[in-house]
Amino acid sequence: MIPYRPDPVPMDVGLERGRRLFSSLDQRRSVRMFSSRAVPAEAIESAVATANTAPSGAHQQPWTFVATSDPNTKHRIRVAAEAEERENYEGGRLPDAWRDAIAPLGTTSDKSYLDVVPWIVVVFAQKSTPMPDGTVRKNYYVNESVGIACGLFITALHTMGLATLTHTPNPMGFLTEIFQRPPTERPYILFPVGYPSDDCEVPDLQRKPLDESLIFFPSR
Ligand code: IYR
């Protein structure tokens, strides 16, 4: 064990920082209309460095972030994603209840933003990890760990003024193929990363109030 002595934060300062963080993150929206404006690779590195601080089961850090700005690769992803989504939306693969749930979002099988965005970052979850000695290590709490890392990634992007979307063009096996990932990894979330377009619109959604998210027990 080693000492852990984080800088002390007086509670009034901490509360103010918390309020500022909330007020910034409360402005975050998932975006499907992106600008082609360039984003430097350093911004992707910074966001993944933040994601990489996530706690993980047995500290196994079971994530791989694959980032591409290559137009040809982005186009292959768009073509494959739209083929899957056409099956979902037009081929009847989405169950009715699911279709009803996403109807307010106004989504369709058109994923043209995948050609427009400067970056696509695909997060892969490592169900197991090949070790240097040739053995394969089983990983624990993979979904929880990778989900937390993705949350930090989204937070970092928003803090840099960037927008993204938690996109899962199911089934996502084509991403394993395109990025030549090993069979021990499965595609988890696809993040288009860029700036919102000048004419960007988002659905008029409200967040549920805190008293539906938080219960003090016993009540205060
Ligand atoms: N993957 C599809 C459908 C979809 C599913 C959910 I859950 C959403 O929140 C939104 C869309 C698509 O990306 O269009």
Side-chain angles (χ1 to χ4, degrees):
M1 303 301 275
I2 54 168
Y4 175 62
R5 306 283 183 271
D7 293 342
V9 181
M11 189 42 76
D12 56 338
V13 175
L15 285 172
E16 179 55 23
R17 281 191 200 169
R19 273 191 291 270
R20 280 175 193 274
L21 180 64
F22 164 67
S23 138
S24 165
L25 287 175
D26 198 30
Q27 291 175 47
R28 187 202 58 78
R29 293 300 309 263
S30 289
V31 156
R32 293 179 176 83
M33 298 169 72
F34 286 91
S35 154
S36 59
R37 181 176 159 196
V39 169
E42 288 71 21
I44 303 298
E45 285 172 349
S46 177
V48 176
T50 294
N52 213 39
T53 68
S56 61
H59 192 52
Q60 286 166 323
Q61 306 172 99
W63 47 73
T64 308
F65 288 70
V66 182
T68 187
S69 61
D70 173 48
N72 183 44
T73 305
K74 286 188 291 180
H75 187 65
R76 285 180 66 201
I77 292 172
R78 175 198 172 171
V79 168
E82 287 186 333
E84 294 297 356
E85 299 290 17
R86 272 195 300 272
E87 275 298 308
N88 290 333
Y89 286 92
E90 289 120 62
R93 191 163 63 182
L94 279 188
D96 286 345
W98 193 343
R99 184 180 292 273
D100 292 348
I102 63 175
L105 304 178
T107 52
T108 69
S109 60
D110 179 344
K111 305 301 177 191
S112 40
Y113 52 78
L114 294 173
D115 266 332
V116 175
V117 269
W119 290 95
I120 291 176
V121 179
V122 178
V123 184
F124 289 85
Q126 303 170 0
K127 295 181 77 76
S128 57
T129 304
M131 303 308 281
D133 67 1
T135 61
V136 176
R137 181 192 72 197
K138 175 182 163 35
N139 293 333
Y140 299 94
Y141 293 98
V142 172
N143 270 318
E144 291 82 351
S145 305
V146 183
I148 295 167
C150 288
L152 294 177
F153 180 68
I154 294 165
T155 304
L157 292 175
H158 179 74
T159 300
M160 287 186 276
L162 295 166
T164 190
L165 169 71
T166 46
H167 186 28
T168 52
N170 270 326
M172 301 198 286
F174 66 89
L175 294 168
T176 298
E177 209 174 300
I178 289 175
F179 288 119
Q180 300 165 30
R181 299 312 303 164
T184 47
E185 296 186 0
R186 73 184 160 77
Y188 186 80
I189 293 176
L190 183 164
F191 291 104
V193 177
Y195 292 96
S197 65
D198 289 340
D199 61 350
C200 180
E201 292 188 341
V202 295
D204 184 13
L205 306 175
Q206 308 304 321
R207 296 193 161 98
K208 66 178 179 178
L210 196 57
D211 66 4
E212 286 178 28
S213 291
L214 172 64
I215 295 167
F216 284 104
F217 183 89
S219 58
R220 298 196 303 165

